[in-house]
Amino acid sequence: MPSFLDPLAGFGVSFRTIFKKTMTESYPEHPHPVARRFHGRHQLNRHPDGLEKCIGCELCAWACPADAIYVQGSQNTEDARFSPGERYGSVYQINYLRCILCGLCVEACPTRALTMTNEYELADTTRASLIYEKGDLLAPLLPGMEAPPHGMRLGDDERAYYLGAGLVSATNTSGGGAESAAGQEGGS
Ligand code: SF4
Ligand code: SF4
């Protein structure tokens, strides 16, 4: 039941706020830093020689509760190799109109191909531009990396890549490219 003291209580809140320190965020000129494990835009990672970690298995798409991921796997050949092993993700899309940035897809990925960056500025003006294609999600080529398709530079089979033999080899041959590659994965 309303009381005649209610307006006074309201003014009390205003009065207390007058003496609080002003917090002004100068966004977007100075974006506030987020926590290191903040779930932002996804990234498709690469091996230290530039081959893609994604093997087109679709586990991320099956794990997604929002049906936001579409993956199409294709066969690698010796003439056109994009990842170690048999298959690679030839089509990879994430629909950010649906994605709730929960990270379940990252948990499902068996090769650590998919991680999430800290990037949160995902707003755009059209629906189509919020469907990110593989080219939008792939990690950039770092020093020591070569754009696929190319052969397996860091081992004879995919097992060598997954066990990290390629990392050691790249460190020896590229003078630090591998460290950069390892650090390329997103925060979570
Ligand atoms: S973060 Fe969650 S909602 Fe977004 S694509 Fe991954 S599993 Fe789907
Ligand atoms: S990102 Fe990972 S889970 Fe998704 S298709 Fe590629 S390898 Fe499979």
Side-chain angles (χ1 to χ4, degrees):
M1 184 176 161
S3 154
F4 73 96
L5 291 176
D6 286 350
L8 289 182
F11 282 125
V13 172
S14 306
F15 193 69
R16 278 201 310 277
T17 309
I18 289 171
F19 299 103
K20 281 193 179 160
K21 190 170 175 236
T22 309
M23 298 281 290
T24 304
E25 300 262 346
S26 302
Y27 183 87
E29 290 79 18
H30 305 288
H32 192 69
V34 294
R36 285 188 64 203
R37 292 182 67 82
F38 176 84
H39 285 180
R41 181 183 67 79
H42 298 74
Q43 176 170 281
L44 285 171
N45 298 301
R46 297 176 186 272
H47 288 287
D49 62 353
L51 286 182
E52 297 161 12
K53 289 189 174 181
C54 179
I55 54 174
C57 67
E58 300 180 34
L59 285 177
C60 51
W62 284 99
C64 177
D67 201 12
I69 302 183
Y70 176 72
V71 184
Q72 195 173 304
S74 296
Q75 206 75 12
N76 281 309
T77 64
E78 286 314 314
D79 295 331
R81 171 172 294 287
F82 292 85
S83 71
E86 289 178 19
R87 288 161 66 79
Y88 72 103
S90 52
V91 177
Y92 198 101
Q93 296 176 338
I94 296 183
N95 185 341
Y96 283 102
L97 293 162
R98 288 173 171 246
C99 177
I100 53 173
L101 301 168
C102 64
L104 289 179
C105 49
V106 172
E107 301 297 328
C109 180
T111 63
R112 198 71 182 148
L114 189 64
T115 50
M116 297 173 92
T117 67
N118 289 162
E119 186 183 331
Y120 58 85
E121 293 177 313
L122 298 173
D124 216 323
T125 51
T126 65
R127 296 174 70 81
S129 59
L130 284 166
I131 299 174
Y132 280 44
E133 302 282 346
K134 180 178 168 183
D136 304 317
L137 298 165
L138 261 180
L141 290 164
L142 296 177
M145 292 181 175
E146 186 186 340
H150 61 74
M152 289 193 284
R153 311 274 190 244
L154 306 177
D156 296 333
D157 55 19
E158 68 269 32
R159 187 174 159 77
Y161 275 75
Y162 301 144
L163 291 178
L167 200 64
V168 176
S169 163
T171 308
N172 293 340
T173 55
S174 70
E179 285 102 324
S180 309
Q184 172 192 41
E185 289 184 2
S188 56

